[in-house]
Amino acid sequence: MSEASRGSGVATLGLLAVTAIWGSTFVLIKDVVGRMSVADFLAVRFVIAAVVMLLCFAVPVMRLGRVQLARGLALGVLYGVAQWLQTEGLARTSPSVSGFVTGMYVVITPILSLLLFRQRMPWTTWLAVLLATVGLGVLALNGFEVDGGVLLTLASAALYALHIVGLGHWSKPGDAFGMSAIQMVGIAAVCFAITLPHGGPALPPDAKAWVAVLYMALVAGAVAMLVQTWAQAHMPATRAAIVMTTEPVFAAGFAVLLGVDALTGRMLGGGALVLAAMYMVELAPRFRRRKPAEALHHEV
């Protein structure tokens, strides 16, 4: 197997680990935002993550050129605004609908890749996008009605897709530390600015909330951003988006394991479709570029 193939496989595993971490946070977030405002939670979380990443990766940040610095900040601002819109949308619609509409970045990502960078996808990728979309619907939806919350959430999905496309196009393996840190600065700036009309962010109210915020900041924030930035330097944006649709699958799995939800046929069916989509984008390039002497060799 080629070096590129091995790197791509490791990138996929890294991105899966990130989505598993994100999936593990749903129960934590639900508990924390019941005791502090969402805006305060986001601001404290991302400011802590930004400070830690700048302290750890100050040298890689300084090595970034002006262009990469600007790109990193722009990507961070995109992600921060997407977080804010998603949160505002969630306040106006059900969590299940919010989860499904947010997952629409899997559809928007290949469209943006085609429009912005003329990146054409094979039919297997479009089929995987369709499978992932249907899987998300089966997993999340019990009813659907377009309202203001849905429109805000759809806007956030578009920005998440733009972030995925931009990160996939601009991220380089050697810049992962610096790019992830500067993105976190952009995210933190947006989330902090949202709290300014109310006098700035309020701190977590108790030790339990602090533990959750620190986990979200350091593991689901700093580490996840670093791994995502590195992973997207090794795979196409649409493939990354499809892999990341496993987040609600992991979220459902953790909810069942922790006794928050009961296992249902919808979870199994929707999760199976999402996983089938992920395997399709992982395995299709291998068969499409198979060579007689090296069946698994492929270029990404």
Side-chain angles (χ1 to χ4, degrees):
M1 186 179 292
S2 69
E3 189 67 27
S5 179
R6 285 195 294 270
S8 175
V10 173
T12 298
L13 291 176
L15 208 52
L16 276 174
V18 167
T19 59
I21 290 170
W22 287 338
S24 73
T25 64
F26 279 69
V27 176
L28 285 176
I29 291 173
K30 185 176 180 179
D31 177 67
V32 172
V33 297
R35 288 178 290 135
M36 63 184 297
S37 76
V38 173
D40 291 339
F41 166 71
L42 290 175
V44 174
R45 170 192 173 186
F46 286 115
V47 166
I48 291 174
V51 169
V52 170
M53 293 190 82
L54 283 177
L55 289 174
C56 292
F57 305 129
V59 174
V61 168
M62 288 187 290
R63 287 176 179 168
L64 292 175
R66 290 184 178 179
V67 172
Q68 284 295 81
L69 278 172
R71 287 171 173 174
L73 281 173
L75 289 171
V77 169
L78 275 178
Y79 194 98
V81 175
Q83 285 269 322
W84 173 55
L85 291 176
Q86 183 185 10
T87 302
E88 291 292 338
L90 183 58
R92 294 168 172 81
T93 191
S94 69
S96 61
V97 171
S98 176
F100 172 74
V101 177
T102 300
M104 286 300 95
Y105 63 71
V106 74
V107 176
I108 302 171
T109 296
I111 296 173
L112 289 178
S113 293
L114 179 62
L115 293 176
L116 296 178
F117 300 116
R118 298 292 185 262
Q119 295 177 352
R120 298 184 180 276
M121 268 64 67
W123 68 268
T124 50
T125 299
W126 289 106
L127 180 58
V129 167
L130 177 62
L131 278 177
T133 303
V134 174
L136 287 170
V138 172
L139 191 65
L141 291 182
N142 289 309
F144 189 86
E145 180 180 344
V146 177
D147 55 23
V150 168
L151 295 177
L152 286 172
T153 308
L154 187 60
S156 77
L159 291 182
Y160 282 132
L162 192 56
H163 176 266
I164 293 170
V165 171
L167 189 58
H169 193 72
W170 290 331
S171 180
K172 303 174 184 177
D175 289 344
F177 292 110
M179 281 287 283
S180 58
I182 204 66
Q183 282 181 87
M184 195 60 70
V185 171
I187 298 169
V190 171
C191 294
F192 186 83
I194 293 169
T195 67
L196 291 180
H198 308 288
L203 297 178
D206 51 52
K208 185 179 179 181
W210 267 111
V211 170
V213 168
L214 288 175
Y215 174 79
M216 291 293 301
L218 302 179
V219 181
V223 173
M225 179 59 73
L226 174 60
V227 175
Q228 182 188 356
T229 301
W230 177 84
Q232 284 206 239
H234 294 80
M235 64 170 63
T238 299
R239 180 172 157 193
I242 292 172
V243 172
M244 285 190 282
T245 58
T246 57
E247 180 183 355
V249 179
F250 283 116
F254 279 109
V256 170
L257 288 175
L258 296 174
V260 177
D261 289 327
L263 184 64
T264 66
R266 291 174 63 91
M267 287 183 183
L268 292 173
L273 287 171
V274 171
L275 291 176
M278 187 196 72
Y279 278 113
M280 181 173 291
V281 295
E282 282 299 303
L283 297 179
R286 298 172 184 263
F287 291 106
R288 192 165 57 246
R289 296 182 172 89
R290 180 181 293 177
K291 296 181 180 180
E294 190 181 356
L296 293 181
H297 175 79
H298 71 281
E299 302 292 339
V300 176

